[in-house]
């Protein structure tokens, strides 16, 4: 994950869980720590989103959960909010 002020690297095998929700993709580093990638970041680049989702399936298939809930419900369930 890259941001203008920081960079974070995680190995696929170290991820606890990956959730592909309607509005964002959540990469759980631990049960309480998560990187949230808003799908709006892929606006105008839908092919890149499909490619990223394909990479997630390839590397995290058994950890990948597809959710169509909204972000707030997901975060409440994970005790993040």
């Amino acid at each position: 994950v890259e941001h203008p002020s920081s960079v974070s690297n995680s190995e696929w095998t170290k991820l606890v869980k990956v959730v592909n929700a309607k509005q964002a993709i959540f990469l759980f580093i631990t049960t309480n720590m998560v990187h949230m990638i808003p799908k709006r970041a892929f606006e105008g680049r839908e092919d890149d989103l499909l490619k990223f989702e394909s990479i997630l399936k390839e590397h995290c298939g058994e950890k990948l959960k597809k959710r169509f809930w909204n972000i707030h419900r997901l975060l409440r369930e994970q005790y993040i909010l």
Side-chain angles (χ1 to χ4, degrees):
V1 178
E2 288 188 35
H3 184 272
S5 62
S6 67
V7 175
S8 175
N9 294 311
S10 298
E11 295 178 30
W12 293 114
T13 58
K14 304 290 185 200
L15 294 174
V16 174
K17 178 170 56 171
V18 177
V19 177
N20 188 356
K22 184 176 179 180
Q23 299 163 325
I25 296 170
F26 299 86
L27 306 175
F28 285 82
I29 309 305
T30 69
T31 55
N32 296 318
M33 194 161 76
V34 63
H35 288 296
M36 181 183 84
I37 303 168
K39 290 190 176 177
R40 70 176 182 268
F42 292 95
E43 245 175 54
R45 300 181 337 205
E46 286 74 20
D47 287 346
D48 289 341
L49 175 59
L50 293 173
K51 194 181 304 181
F52 183 58
E53 289 175 331
S54 174
I55 291 168
L56 288 175
K57 283 181 192 171
E58 180 183 336
H59 292 283
C60 304
E62 73 283 353
K63 297 176 189 174
L64 179 62
K65 304 208 182 296
K66 221 157 166 45
R67 304 288 168 128
F68 297 98
W69 304 332
N70 66 35
I71 290 172
H72 295 290
R73 180 174 174 192
L74 175 69
L75 295 176
R76 272 196 313 274
E77 289 183 4
Q78 297 298 326
Y79 306 105
I80 295 171
L81 282 181

